[in-house]
Amino acid sequence: HTHMVSAGGADDDVKEQHEHVKKTNTLILIELGLDPGIDHMLAAKTAAEMRSKGAAIEEYRCLCGAIPSHEANDNPFGYKFAWAPDAALGAAKRPARYLKDGRKVNVPGDTTMKEYFLDYAPGAGWFEAYPNGNSLPYPELYGMGEVTSMLRGTYRFMGWCETLAAMVDLGALDEEPVDLADLTYRGLTAKLLEVEDSGGVRRQLAAHLGLPEYSAAMKRIDWLGLLQDDSIPMEEGSPRGVISQLMFDKLKYRKDELDMVVMTHEYSVRYADGENAKLVSSLVHYGEPGGYSSIAQTTGLPVAVACTLLAQGDIAVRGVRIPVSKDIYEPALKELERLGISVEQKAEMTI
C-alpha cells in the first residue's frame, strides 16, 4: 500500500501483481531512469503524436550510451566506469531479441558483441552500437503496434565491441570460479587457452581468436594486462572478476573529467496521405565540472521528478507501470527539459 518509483526494472513476480497493486490504489513505477526511462517517455510521446496525425511508425530504433566525453576518452577501450564494472561486463554476454522487417531476431549472449553496427549520433559523432536486451515487448507498450522493425541498443566508442567479443571467446568473462593462487595475468590467459604459460601465449591467443597479432583487439587486451607477468592479487575468483578489477583500476574517471550521455531515437513514419518521413530525436548531455555526472543526473532526476509529481497528486495511473502514460511523460519531460535534459528532433521528408 505504498507507492514506489524506481530507475530499475522488476521481475515477473512484481509485474504479475499489477491488478492487485491497482486495487490498493498504489503505483509501482519502474524503468524510470535514463535507459530504461527517458527513452520510454520519448518513444511513447512520439507514438501518441503520430497516432493523433493518423500516421503509422513502421520502424523504430533507440540507441543510448553513458560514455566518457570526447575530452575524457583517453584509453584504448574508449570507456570509463561510472557504475559497477561487473554489471557492465555482464551486458557483453546478455542475450538480445529485436524485431527486423516483421521477423523476431534472437541473439545468443555469446555473440551479442558480434552483432554491432556503426551509427552516427547527431551532435556527438560516430559510435558502435549493439542490441541490448529484449525489445519485443515494447511495440505494444509504446503504442506502436504497426511497427515492423524495433531495436533498443547501446552506444560505445569504436573498438569496444570487437575487443569484448574477443574476451568472450577467450572465456575471460566467464563467472565460474578458478584457482588464481600464484597465477599471473598471462598465466590466467594460458589457463583459459589450456596451453603452457610461456612466451608463446600471445601467438596462441591470436590464433585462438582468429586475429593477427597486430590487431587492435589484441593490443587492447595486452594494454589491459592479460599478457603481462604481473601477479593477480587474489587467490580465487572468476575470470570476469579479474577483468572487472583490471578495468576498474585502469578505466577510471579523474575528478576533473566529464562523462557524456548520448541517446538517439529514429522513427520511420508513414502519414495518411502516403508521405514518408524519418524523424530523429537526439539527446547529448554532459556531466557538470565538479558536480554530478551526466549518468547520475539522467538516471536520478527522472525518479525525483516522478516522486514530486506523485506527491503532488499529479499522476493518476495505478498498478505496476512503466512511464508510457501521458500524465507521466508529459509533465516529467517538461520538467526534465527545465533541468537541462532536453531533446532535439528533426524530420526528413521523403516521397
Side-chain angles (χ1 to χ4, degrees):
H1 293 242
T2 302
H3 299 304
M4 187 188 85
V5 181
S6 172
D11 59 25
D12 290 339
D13 288 341
V14 174
K15 294 175 182 177
E16 289 170 1
Q17 298 299 315
H18 170 71
E19 291 300 328
H20 171 71
V21 173
K22 190 175 179 180
K23 288 178 181 177
T24 65
N25 195 35
T26 304
L27 173 64
I28 295 179
L29 182 55
I30 58 174
E31 298 189 14
L32 185 55
L34 168 65
D35 175 6
I38 293 176
D39 56 346
H40 289 340
M41 295 191 285
L42 291 172
K45 180 176 183 289
T46 302
E49 291 172 349
M50 293 301 102
R51 287 196 304 273
S52 71
K53 298 177 181 180
I57 297 175
E58 298 182 332
E59 298 181 0
Y60 168 73
R61 187 172 75 183
C62 173
L63 305 173
C64 182
I67 51 183
S69 65
H70 290 284
E71 294 80 3
N73 179 17
D74 61 3
N75 68 67
F77 279 77
Y79 192 72
K80 292 186 177 181
F81 289 100
W83 60 310
D86 193 65
L89 291 176
K93 295 183 68 175
R94 181 185 300 140
R97 303 183 73 195
Y98 60 93
L99 194 63
K100 177 66 174 176
D101 298 327
R103 179 175 60 90
K104 295 178 181 178
V105 179
N106 295 303
V107 182
D110 59 354
T111 65
T112 299
M113 291 293 100
K114 298 178 182 179
E115 293 290 321
Y116 78 92
F117 52 93
L118 302 183
D119 188 75
Y120 177 76
W126 283 93
F127 298 94
E128 295 177 346
Y130 63 88
N132 181 22
N134 185 6
S135 301
L136 298 182
Y138 293 101
E140 180 181 355
L141 292 170
Y142 290 165
M144 300 181 187
E146 68 283 350
V147 75
T148 58
S149 295
M150 174 173 282
L151 172 72
R152 290 162 49 82
T154 299
Y155 277 136
R156 288 289 183 265
F157 278 113
M158 300 292 187
W160 174 266
C161 292
E162 179 186 19
T163 307
L164 270 287
M167 294 172 74
V168 169
D169 287 347
L170 170 62
L173 302 187
D174 290 353
E175 296 180 83
E176 290 296 320
V178 297
D179 183 7
L180 302 174
D182 301 319
L183 206 60
T184 65
Y185 290 105
R186 191 184 70 185
L188 173 61
T189 300
K191 191 168 190 171
L192 294 173
L193 291 171
E194 299 181 345
V195 300
E196 183 180 347
D197 181 9
S198 66
V201 172
R202 183 189 306 271
R203 173 182 51 79
Q204 291 169 302
L205 173 60
H208 175 81
L209 298 175
L211 297 172
E213 290 186 48
Y214 59 79
S215 69
M218 283 289 296
K219 291 185 182 297
R220 291 189 192 95
I221 289 171
D222 192 1
W223 178 87
L224 188 62
L226 287 179
L227 294 172
Q228 304 304 311
D229 286 328
D230 298 331
S231 297
I232 297 174
M234 58 183 80
E235 293 188 355
E236 58 182 35
S238 67
R240 186 163 122 185
V242 173
I243 300 301
S244 293
Q245 188 58 53
L246 272 175
M247 286 190 165
F248 184 73
D249 291 340
K250 292 199 169 190
L251 309 183
K252 285 182 178 179
Y253 283 98
R254 295 192 301 269
K255 289 184 179 181
D256 60 334
E257 290 183 323
L258 304 183
D259 68 330
M260 172 175 68
V261 162
V262 181
M263 180 186 289
T264 304
H265 294 249
E266 295 183 5
Y267 311 83
S268 294
V269 180
R270 179 179 293 276
Y271 290 94
D273 61 4
E275 191 174 49
N276 295 325
K278 179 181 179 181
L279 306 180
V280 179
S281 297
S282 59
L283 166 66
V284 181
H285 185 271
Y286 296 91
E288 299 173 348
Y292 288 114
S293 66
S294 177
I295 188 61
Q297 294 178 66
T298 54
T299 302
L301 286 175
V303 174
V305 167
C307 287
T308 302
L309 292 170
L310 190 56
Q312 293 172 170
D314 294 332
I315 297 179
V317 295
R318 295 294 184 261
V320 181
R321 305 275 188 171
I322 67 171
V324 293
S325 301
K326 186 176 181 178
D327 67 337
I328 297 174
Y329 65 69
E330 199 166 68
L333 288 173
K334 184 177 180 179
E335 178 64 8
L336 287 172
E337 184 173 3
R338 188 188 71 80
L339 293 169
I341 301 175
S342 59
V343 177
E344 293 186 9
Q345 182 161 294
K346 296 182 179 180
E348 300 175 2
M349 309 303 290
T350 58
I351 301 298

